[in-house]
Amino acid sequence: MNPTIIPQQMKIPYVVTTTLPHVGAELVVLPAEREIPNDWDDVAFLQALHYDGSICTSTCRCVDLDDRTKIRRGEELHVGEWTWYGGDASWLVGWRRICPTAEEQRLTKRIELLDEDLEHEAGMHHLTKEALAELTDRIARLRASIRRSTTKNRELKVARAQRTAALVLTAVALLIAAAALTF
C-alpha cells in the first residue's frame, strides 16, 4: 500500500496592498509565514482570485477552495487584468496597471501640445497658401500691366517719332519754301 503524500503547506498571514501612481500600478504582496525550505520541490501558491485577477479576501469568500488558482514558484501568470508571480523567496506578488505612468502622462501632454502646434501650423499653412495665391494673382496682374505699359510706351515712341519726323519734314518744307521765296 502506497502511503498518501500530503503536501506541506504554509500560511500567508497577511496581505499588503498599495498603489504606485508614478508607476501607474496597483501592487499586492502576500508573504508566506516563513522562508520556503530548499528541499521542497514543486512549490506552488494556491490563491483565490476573482475572474478579473483581483485577490479574493477571506471576507469575500466568493471563490471556492477547489477553484483557487495555482501559481508555481518562479511562474508568471496573467489572470484578467492582473499579473501574478510566485517568487522564489516565499512571496506571491500581483500587480495591474491602474493609470499611465508619470512618463506616459508627460508624453501624453507633450503629444497634446504637439497636436495643438500641428493644428496651428496647418492654419498657418492654409493662410500662407491663400496669401501666395493672392500674391501670384497680383504678380500676374502687374505683369499684364507692365506688358500693356510697354506696348503703350512703344506706341507712344512710334507716335513721337512720327510727329518728330512730320515736324522735321514740315520744317524742311518751310525752309525750302522760305528759301524759294528769297530767290
Side-chain angles (χ1 to χ4, degrees):
M1 176 171 190
N2 291 334
T4 304
I5 299 174
I6 299 173
Q8 294 178 332
Q9 296 180 352
M10 284 194 289
K11 293 182 181 180
I12 296 178
Y14 57 91
V15 176
V16 177
T17 62
T18 187
T19 58
L20 307 168
H22 63 286
V23 177
E26 180 178 358
L27 182 67
V28 175
V29 179
L30 299 108
E33 62 188 345
R34 68 184 196 288
E35 184 86 20
I36 296 174
N38 290 333
D39 61 343
W40 283 16
D41 294 329
D42 197 30
V43 174
F45 296 89
L46 291 175
Q47 182 60 50
L49 299 175
H50 295 122
Y51 289 110
D52 69 349
S54 62
I55 191 168
C56 181
T57 62
S58 59
T59 58
C60 178
R61 298 220 184 262
C62 62
V63 177
D64 292 333
L65 290 177
D66 296 337
D67 292 335
R68 293 181 296 177
T69 303
K70 187 176 200 175
I71 304 167
R72 298 194 183 293
R73 180 169 45 181
E75 174 186 38
E76 186 174 292
L77 182 68
H78 300 281
V79 179
E81 58 187 38
W82 285 80
T83 300
W84 289 93
Y85 178 74
D88 291 335
S90 307
W91 297 82
L92 178 61
V93 180
W95 64 91
R96 72 175 177 143
R97 288 190 50 116
I98 55 170
C99 65
T101 65
E103 181 65 15
E104 288 170 333
Q105 290 174 2
R106 186 187 68 75
L107 288 173
T108 300
K109 287 179 184 175
R110 179 72 178 134
I111 288 171
E112 288 171 2
L113 288 174
L114 289 173
D115 283 343
E116 190 175 302
D117 288 347
L118 187 60
E119 285 180 26
H120 290 318
E121 286 297 320
M124 292 302 291
H125 180 72
H126 178 72
L127 291 174
T128 302
K129 280 177 79 173
E130 284 181 350
L132 181 63
E134 182 181 324
L135 290 172
T136 301
D137 184 49
R138 191 171 179 190
I139 288 170
R141 288 192 315 258
L142 287 172
R143 284 184 177 157
S145 176
I146 289 170
R147 280 192 301 275
R148 285 191 305 271
S149 294
T150 303
T151 303
K152 194 170 192 176
N153 190 25
R154 275 192 224 124
E155 291 170 357
L156 288 173
K157 283 182 182 179
V158 168
R160 187 180 304 140
Q162 288 172 349
R163 271 184 297 190
T164 303
L167 285 173
V168 170
L169 285 175
T170 306
V172 170
L174 286 173
L175 284 173
I176 293 174
L181 289 174
T182 53
F183 287 113

